[in-house]
Amino acid sequence: MSHIDLPRALEDYFAFAEIDPTRHGRRFTITLPYFSGSRVDRLQWWYHLSPEQEQRMGEAYVETLRAQAIARFCRHIERWLQNTGQRLYGDEPIPRIGPVVIAQAEDPVPAADTPAEDVTNVLPWPSDRVANA
């Protein structure tokens, strides 16, 4: 079962921003807003470009760093949805989050029709022996 049921790619729902630079470098954020019921919430991913990295690798490295951050954020979202039993869905500009719906089998097999376990391979255990001694 897919935990992401959106008409467009997950990245299309992201918002990107650069925070004011500090002496430690440039900071960026990726935000995924979503509706949880009637409340708007968000997931965020932060990444950083130090002055040394920018000087060594140039401005083009910002795009490489952004692509890596997007890939990691997508993986994080997929794992988070899987671990929490939720899914992203909807046709609106801001997706909705809700529990995963598991489809029930239409004609489940009754328990009385299932064969009993074959217990012929069970070895007898001597009553005078203790299992953990």
Side-chain angles (χ1 to χ4, degrees), residues 15-90:
F16 301 92
E18 181 174 355
I19 312 305
D20 291 332
T22 65
R23 61 186 167 113
H24 299 292
R26 295 169 65 185
R27 298 175 298 157
F28 304 88
T29 182
I30 306 171
T31 304
L32 172 66
Y34 62 88
F35 281 108
S36 178
S38 61
R39 183 179 66 123
V40 177
D41 208 344
R42 71 181 183 274
L43 291 171
Q44 285 190 312
W45 190 263
W46 296 77
Y47 58 104
H48 177 262
L49 178 67
S50 70
E52 295 80 26
Q53 288 175 319
E54 189 173 14
Q55 184 180 19
R56 200 171 349 121
M57 299 184 199
E59 185 66 29
Y61 185 63
V62 173
E63 289 304 314
T64 303
L65 194 61
R66 179 178 174 159
Q68 291 171 352
I70 289 171
R72 288 181 180 150
F73 189 38
C74 286
R75 229 177 10 256
H76 171 75
I77 291 169
E78 290 168 2
R79 289 179 182 159
W80 177 71
L81 291 169
Q82 183 179 13
N83 290 340
T84 59
Q86 299 182 94
R87 68 183 183 110
L88 282 173
Y89 64 95

